Amino acid sequence: MKVFILGGDGFCGWPTSLHLSALGHDVVIVDNLSRRAIDLELEAGSLTPIAPMGTRLKAWREVSGRSIRFERLDVAENYHRLLTLIQDERPDAIVHFAEQRAAPYSMKSSAHKRYTVHNNLIATHNVLAAIVESGIDVHLTHLGTMGVYGYGTAGMKIPEGYLPIEVVTDDGDRVQQEILYPSNPGSIYHMTKTQDQLFFAYYAKNDEVRITDLHQGIVWGTNTPETLLDERLVNRFDYDGDYGTVLNRFLMQAAVGYPLTVHGTGGQTRAFIHIRDTVRCIQLAIEHPPEQGERVRILNQMTETHRVRELAQKVAGLTGAQVSFTANPRKEDAENDLHVRNDLFLDLGLEPTTLDDGLLSEVTDVAKRYAHRADLEKIPCTSTWTRKQAAGVPEPTGDPAPA
Ligand code: NAD
Ligand code: USQ
């Protein structure tokens, strides 16, 4: 299969590109390297020393004998180059990772909100419009987020995208339908993903574009079998207060002796998936496309749920790290339960990598190995969700730490 990986220089996109190339697919990476530019803006970088794209691709050729091509273009700005690339290359599948993905970054200022909305929505719409204008039957797989659902339900498991409902007509008849699960985003970033869903529903209905939307949980871990083949292939590891996600941050903090930064009570429950399972899920998704005319296929791409304070306790138990309960810079529920269906990937053969598989120690080894590169000043989360929080007044939901 010929596959475009939009955002193929990023944390999920790079190991996915290598995995698909290793399987024999013809991979073309499309990326504007904006994530590397944001590293410069934030004066923060990957804990692991990621190589420039040219070095990465040369290393891959050397270790695998396979070539991946790279097109540097901005999916949100360079519509005609994107269209021409699709027309010339005629890909079978496009995997779309090319969005600004950090919730704290999206909340830093109105400029960051506007950038995130513009970049993510225009990028997604450009891909859809270009597929239709090309006239080529391309299967689009998009990386969405569990955060489109919000993180709470009335005790039920969150279904895969669609909620069965029953309505009563004026005649008293009971009619059953399935609707897109109601969106409840918790940041500007998450909001862009909820809006992406409407683009997908529309283009699947109107133009019969084949679309898979993967609602992914928080990705943890660093390396996959392919990125471990050569130091120059190492994946990025974000630990700073904007881009670092909670479990990888805790692992890195434990490695450098920094008390684990639990927000509020740590009662937030979230969904998780290891990066090795991410790349396998993408493979399964592109191997099982929907039919033309089918509604958007939505899968929950997560393998387990955990409460933040329990993750901290688990990491502390493994490493002896201290746990620090800090004021929550976000406006989010202090405590929530989360139950999620993920039958579709399990039915396709996914065998989840769990936290208990000993991989925590693998990540701790990565974190320890590169601990000397850490800038501890970049660890605190300084991006606040509201003006009140910015002025130092906690939101009622940002519970104070337990005694
Ligand atoms: P990342 O920031 O590491 O990678 C995104 C890549 O896209 C970067 O290389 C960036 O340069 C590129 N990009 C951004 N805007 C672009 C544009 N307009 N044109 C071309 N390239 C552009 O993020 P990631 O962690 O790899 O996440 C990838 C996708 O997966 C995102 O859409 C994110 O929302 C989703 N996701 C990530 C996680 C996670 O925990 N990392 C969890 C759920 C969903
Ligand atoms: N948190 C802490 N301490 C920290 C960092 C975070 O307690 O040091 C808490 C946050 O307050 C939040 C939870 O941990 O309650 C998760 O935060 P996160 O930064 O790990 O994850 P999030 O902001 O939700 O975003 C990440 C990815 C995003 C993806 C999303 C999937 O950056 O791209 O869409 O996970 S999900 O969370 O399922 O919506």
Side-chain angles (χ1 to χ4, degrees):
M1 234 188 271
K2 183 176 281 189
V3 190
F4 283 8
I5 307 287
L6 313 182
D9 187 46
F11 170 60
C12 298
W14 174 242
T16 301
S17 302
L18 297 186
H19 180 66
L20 297 181
S21 175
L23 291 172
H25 296 300
D26 181 5
V27 173
V28 179
I29 289 177
V30 175
D31 202 298
N32 65 350
L33 307 184
S34 54
R35 180 68 193 85
R36 292 181 189 245
I38 291 173
D39 278 344
L40 299 178
E41 173 199 338
L42 298 176
E43 299 182 3
S46 167
L47 188 68
T48 49
I50 52 170
M53 182 54 94
T55 309
R56 282 182 151 184
L57 298 181
K58 183 167 175 279
W60 180 241
R61 267 197 309 281
E62 286 170 11
V63 300
S64 72
R66 298 180 189 280
S67 289
I68 295 177
R69 280 172 297 146
F70 171 49
E71 292 286 335
R72 183 172 179 178
L73 73 82
D74 188 322
V75 179
E77 302 295 339
N78 309 132
Y79 176 78
H80 286 284
R81 283 188 56 206
L82 176 68
L83 172 63
T84 309
L85 196 66
I86 294 173
Q87 287 169 330
D88 291 349
E89 297 278 347
R90 305 184 71 81
D92 303 287
I94 295 181
V95 184
H96 174 27
F97 295 101
E99 294 181 78
Q100 191 300 100
R101 71 100 175 132
Y105 184 83
S106 77
M107 303 301 286
K108 286 180 93 64
S109 72
S110 52
H112 293 88
K113 291 176 185 175
R114 292 172 59 242
Y115 165 71
T116 302
V117 167
H118 179 88
N119 185 64
N120 294 4
L121 296 189
I122 304 295
T124 297
H125 188 259
N126 277 355
V127 178
L128 290 162
I131 289 174
V132 172
E133 188 173 348
S134 74
I136 300 166
D137 175 22
V138 187
H139 170 214
L140 176 65
T141 295
H142 170 253
L143 271 291
T145 173
M146 286 298 305
V148 298
Y149 302 120
Y151 307 103
T153 59
M156 61 180 260
K157 280 191 168 180
I158 293 182
E160 308 214 50
Y162 299 97
L163 180 70
I165 59 159
E166 187 177 88
V167 290
V168 182
T169 67
D170 288 350
D171 301 334
D173 292 335
R174 291 178 175 276
V175 178
Q176 267 136 38
Q177 304 186 356
E178 286 200 316
I179 58 168
L180 259 184
Y181 193 91
S183 302
N184 186 11
S187 72
I188 292 289
Y189 153 73
H190 286 97
M191 188 188 66
T192 63
K193 295 284 182 175
T194 70
Q195 305 215 13
D196 281 345
Q197 291 194 104
L198 295 180
F199 289 146
F200 298 138
Y202 177 77
Y203 275 91
K205 180 184 73 169
N206 194 65
D207 300 282
E208 303 194 355
V209 179
R210 293 183 296 138
I211 301 169
T212 300
D213 201 3
L214 303 175
H215 288 177
Q216 186 171 235
I218 300 169
V219 183
W220 67 282
T222 316
N223 283 310
T224 59
E226 289 81 20
T227 66
L228 284 170
L229 289 172
D230 188 296
E231 176 92 35
R232 294 167 294 171
L233 300 174
V234 72
N235 199 16
R236 59 178 304 133
F237 184 115
D238 293 307
Y239 66 92
D240 64 279
D242 288 316
Y243 273 87
T245 52
V246 64
L247 179 52
N248 276 5
R249 273 168 63 77
F250 287 173
L251 293 164
M252 174 274 178
Q253 291 166 357
V256 299
Y258 195 99
L260 311 184
T261 53
V262 173
H263 292 166
T265 63
Q268 309 92 317
T269 308
R270 295 290 182 271
F272 292 85
I273 183 168
H274 192 273
I275 186 73
R276 290 173 196 229
D277 290 344
T278 290
V279 305
R280 176 102 172 94
C281 285
I282 306 288
Q283 175 200 339
L284 291 169
I286 66 171
E287 286 173 352
H288 296 88
E291 300 292 328
Q292 263 193 329
E294 204 179 308
R295 73 178 180 184
V296 177
R297 184 169 293 179
I298 301 177
L299 293 87
N300 292 338
Q301 186 164 312
M302 51 70 66
T303 55
E304 52 192 314
T305 59
H306 293 282
R307 215 174 273 283
V308 166
R309 64 170 169 263
E310 284 157 14
L311 283 179
Q313 281 152 5
K314 205 175 180 70
V315 174
L318 282 172
T319 61
Q322 290 189 333
V323 178
S324 161
F325 290 89
T326 63
N328 195 343
R330 305 188 184 201
K331 188 167 182 175
E332 60 186 359
D333 287 344
E335 303 273 334
N336 69 288
D337 290 321
L338 183 63
H339 307 284
V340 183
R341 297 198 79 95
N342 63 345
D343 311 65
L344 295 177
F345 270 127
L346 297 179
D347 290 349
L348 289 176
L350 178 70
E351 290 171 14
T353 308
T354 66
L355 257 65
D356 294 325
D357 286 345
L359 285 162
L360 276 176
S361 57
E362 181 222 326
V363 180
T364 310
D365 291 345
V366 171
K368 277 210 174 106
R369 176 159 179 214
Y370 297 108
H372 62 280
R373 289 173 46 88
D375 178 351
L376 304 195
E377 287 185 9
K378 296 298 171 190
I379 292 179
C381 293
T382 55
S383 177
T384 50
W385 258 231
T386 67
R387 288 165 65 96
K388 237 166 88 179
Q389 289 168 320
V393 184
E395 290 286 349
T397 49
D399 270 3

